[in-house]
Amino acid sequence: MSQQMSFKDLMKVLGLGAVAFVLGVEWLNWLTRHLRDSHGPLKEVLFFPSPQVCVEHLFTRRKRFPCACPLPHGVETSFSRLLGHLLSARMSLDLCVFSTSFSRLLGHLLSARMSLDLCVFSFSHMELSRAILLLHKQGVVVRVVTDRDYMTITGSQIGTVRKAGIRVRHEMSAAVHMHHKFALVDGRKLITGSLNWTLTAVQSNKENVMVTEELELVRPYQQEFQKLWEASDPANHKPQCTNGQLH
Amino acid sequence: MSQQMSFKDLMKVLGLGAVAFVLGVEWLNWLTRHLRDSHGPLKEVLFFPSPQVCVEHLFTRRKRFPCACPLPHGVETSFSRLLGHLLSARMSLDLCVFSTSFSRLLGHLLSARMSLDLCVFSFSHMELSRAILLLHKQGVVVRVVTDRDYMTITGSQIGTVRKAGIRVRHEMSAAVHMHHKFALVDGRKLITGSLNWTLTAVQSNKENVMVTEELELVRPYQQEFQKLWEASDPANHKPQCTNGQLH
């Protein structure tokens, strides 16, 4: 009888053990999924125009805001977040007044530590140019592909960044526009949308910018950038000489 | 001794049962995750320009391709996939030759069954206009928000779709451009990028279009569309009369 009881007890212990084990595994599984989901790939959408805020703290990384501009300070907006990301690259610019979406956009750009691949139709925005120059000075490898026609229009920043030593290439065909407006930060954060890098786009137009680290979305843009970078290599477009004539 | 053996056997059976149960639960878990991941939210990126293919089958839904055009038939490309999605709305257009990315884009648009909310800066592409008109005829509720200046430029399709009874609104300010290029299919599929709805954009320019059903990305664009739709309601912009004077 004692043997019989011990046998029943063992059955109970084994049964309860199995149930506890299964529940434990399931709980760990749920926990892993929950943690993964709550820290999933970045997905953020910015719309322009947006309210104006002070973004000085993003550039100086000061916790307090000595900037005297009358706009709201320390507000989390589209622009301030962009600036925040950009400024994690330890920038120091004397900006103050920008829209919230622009501050977030700038934050994303300034978050670059290794590389910034930029593919933009028109580029005349002074502060975005300053951000790119600062990243370049900090050793971030910046590559720019732009449109041929819009390289030299009034206010274009392409000449400025090129003079600073940043590698710039342009669409080779005069009949085609390089109309993309996307950037890849450290090859893993995609910034894309309708926004050209101009003052009108940032301050006036109705625009959208999507920021994501979703690999399925980032990877095609990486491949497209590399394709465009190679296709716009001047070395591939040298005039060819046949029968003594240039073509 | 017989009791002892039986007890050991039962232990083995229980042990193996517990292991089998745990493995079974884990396998079911893996299978669920795998199925969920492989059917996760749509994420697709289209680049322009892209190779030319025949897209006639997308409009007629024929399994064979009687179309006599010399281009590759039945090729899965960016444009053919777009067309496929659009054409799931039972379209019938006499198209033949389009780029692969355009065919996929058109597929996505034509997948609309209930609604299509379109927010586009310039809209002059004839076949995209035909697709919109067909959706409207099929009872899909189409709403368009566009730019004020680009409504009446040569080749604009805005007048055509408006005459057909499609509701069109435009940015109210003459000083600001409504520069978005996004569409929401049935309120759940987002199509966004650099591509304006023009022939040059589709056939020549370097452009990108992202198609996604990721809720975190779709929702902000839904809200933005609704905001723009209400802000561009002519009823909110009637001339106001104060002190007998119009303002």
Side-chain angles (χ1 to χ4, degrees):
Chain A
M1 188 65 183
S2 157
Q3 183 75 17
Q4 192 72 15
M5 281 301 289
S6 153
F7 173 64
K8 275 189 183 168
D9 285 348
L10 193 65
M11 274 180 71
K12 280 182 194 166
V13 168
L14 282 172
L16 285 172
V19 169
F21 183 69
V22 169
L23 288 175
V25 167
E26 281 306 287
W27 179 78
L28 273 174
N29 222 326
W30 174 86
L31 193 69
T32 314
R33 260 207 314 274
H34 181 75
L35 287 172
R36 191 187 56 197
D37 290 347
S38 62
H39 295 93
L42 173 71
K43 286 182 280 288
E44 182 173 356
V45 182
L46 312 174
F47 291 102
F48 297 78
S50 67
Q52 300 279 307
V53 288
C54 175
V55 295
E56 177 63 19
H57 61 291
L58 292 171
F59 289 95
T60 55
R61 306 186 91 194
R62 287 177 205 144
K63 290 204 173 179
R64 296 184 179 233
F65 313 107
C67 165
C69 89
L71 291 170
H73 286 60
V75 178
E76 270 275 294
T77 65
S78 299
F79 185 64
S80 77
R81 278 180 67 94
L82 173 61
L83 267 174
H85 283 271
L86 288 166
L87 287 165
S88 58
R90 306 156 306 279
M91 282 187 68
S92 174
L93 297 181
D94 56 351
L95 291 178
C96 169
V97 180
F98 283 103
S99 81
T100 54
S101 289
F102 186 65
S103 112
R104 288 169 85 101
L105 170 66
L106 202 50
H108 283 294
L109 290 171
L110 290 171
S111 72
R113 305 277 170 154
M114 303 292 290
S115 69
L116 181 75
D117 290 335
L118 175 63
C119 208
V120 69
F121 174 57
S122 55
F123 181 7
S124 58
H125 197 287
M126 289 285 287
E127 302 308 331
L128 286 169
S129 171
R130 292 173 72 185
I132 301 309
L133 291 171
L134 192 62
L135 288 174
H136 174 64
K137 276 185 198 162
Q138 287 169 348
V140 172
V141 178
V142 181
R143 299 187 292 175
V144 181
V145 178
T146 189
D147 186 63
R148 180 182 165 133
D149 294 348
Y150 279 72
M151 279 187 78
T152 51
I153 58 162
T154 313
S156 172
Q157 291 297 308
I158 292 296
T160 310
V161 299
R162 193 171 238 177
K163 273 181 204 154
I166 290 174
R167 288 186 297 166
V168 179
R169 292 181 181 175
H170 62 78
E171 168 60 43
M172 287 296 173
S173 165
V176 169
H177 279 309
M178 203 304 297
H179 200 241
H180 291 300
K181 310 100 172 43
F182 72 84
L184 288 156
V185 177
D186 293 333
R188 60 175 179 76
K189 187 189 283 181
L190 168 68
I191 302 173
T192 186
S194 67
L195 189 93
N196 285 307
W197 284 29
T198 68
L199 200 62
T200 311
V202 168
Q203 291 195 344
S204 311
N205 289 353
K206 302 287 196 298
E207 307 271 7
N208 67 84
V209 170
M210 182 190 290
V211 186
T212 182
E213 288 180 347
E214 192 94 50
L215 196 61
E216 287 172 77
L217 296 174
V218 175
R219 201 186 292 121
Y221 284 87
Q222 283 177 330
Q223 291 164 350
E224 181 70 4
F225 183 86
Q226 200 52 36
K227 193 176 137 194
L228 293 173
W229 183 251
E230 283 160 21
S232 54
D233 184 351
N236 299 333
H237 293 268
K238 278 180 184 163
Q240 291 174 356
C241 194
T242 12
N243 301 326
Q245 289 188 316
L246 273 175
H247 293 274
Chain B
M1 187 67 184
S2 156
Q3 181 77 18
Q4 193 71 16
M5 282 301 289
S6 155
F7 174 65
K8 273 188 184 170
D9 285 348
L10 193 66
M11 273 181 70
K12 280 182 193 168
V13 169
L14 282 172
L16 285 171
V19 169
F21 183 69
V22 168
L23 287 175
V25 166
E26 280 306 287
W27 179 77
L28 274 173
N29 222 328
W30 174 86
L31 192 70
T32 315
R33 258 205 316 272
H34 181 73
L35 287 173
R36 192 189 52 195
D37 289 348
S38 63
H39 295 92
L42 172 72
K43 286 182 280 287
E44 184 175 353
V45 182
L46 311 174
F47 291 102
F48 296 79
S50 67
Q52 299 279 306
V53 289
C54 175
V55 295
E56 176 63 20
H57 62 293
L58 292 173
F59 289 93
T60 57
R61 307 185 92 193
R62 288 176 204 146
K63 290 204 172 176
R64 298 183 178 233
F65 313 109
C67 163
C69 89
L71 292 170
H73 286 59
V75 179
E76 269 276 294
T77 64
S78 299
F79 184 63
S80 76
R81 278 179 65 94
L82 173 60
L83 266 176
H85 283 271
L86 287 167
L87 287 165
S88 59
R90 306 158 305 279
M91 282 188 67
S92 173
L93 297 182
D94 56 353
L95 292 179
C96 169
V97 181
F98 282 102
S99 81
T100 55
S101 288
F102 186 66
S103 117
R104 287 168 84 99
L105 169 66
L106 202 51
H108 283 295
L109 290 171
L110 289 171
S111 72
R113 305 276 171 154
M114 302 292 289
S115 67
L116 181 74
D117 290 334
L118 174 63
C119 209
V120 68
F121 174 57
S122 56
F123 181 6
S124 59
H125 197 288
M126 290 285 286
E127 301 310 329
L128 286 169
S129 171
R130 290 173 72 186
I132 301 310
L133 291 172
L134 192 61
L135 289 175
H136 175 63
K137 276 184 197 162
Q138 288 170 347
V140 172
V141 178
V142 181
R143 297 188 293 176
V144 181
V145 177
T146 189
D147 187 62
R148 180 181 166 133
D149 294 347
Y150 279 72
M151 279 187 78
T152 50
I153 59 161
T154 312
S156 171
Q157 292 295 308
I158 292 296
T160 311
V161 300
R162 193 171 238 180
K163 273 179 204 156
I166 290 173
R167 288 185 297 166
V168 179
R169 293 182 181 174
H170 62 78
E171 168 59 44
M172 287 295 173
S173 164
V176 170
H177 279 308
M178 203 303 298
H179 200 241
H180 292 300
K181 311 100 170 42
F182 72 84
L184 288 156
V185 178
D186 293 333
R188 62 177 176 75
K189 187 189 284 181
L190 168 68
I191 302 173
T192 186
S194 66
L195 188 93
N196 284 306
W197 285 29
T198 68
L199 200 63
T200 310
V202 168
Q203 291 196 345
S204 311
N205 289 353
K206 303 286 196 296
E207 305 272 5
N208 68 83
V209 170
M210 181 189 289
V211 186
T212 183
E213 288 180 347
E214 191 92 53
L215 195 62
E216 286 172 78
L217 296 174
V218 175
R219 202 184 292 121
Y221 284 87
Q222 283 176 330
Q223 290 164 351
E224 182 70 3
F225 183 87
Q226 200 52 38
K227 192 177 136 193
L228 292 174
W229 183 251
E230 284 160 20
S232 54
D233 184 350
N236 299 332
H237 294 269
K238 280 180 183 163
Q240 291 174 355
C241 196
T242 10
N243 301 328
Q245 288 187 318
L246 275 176
H247 294 274

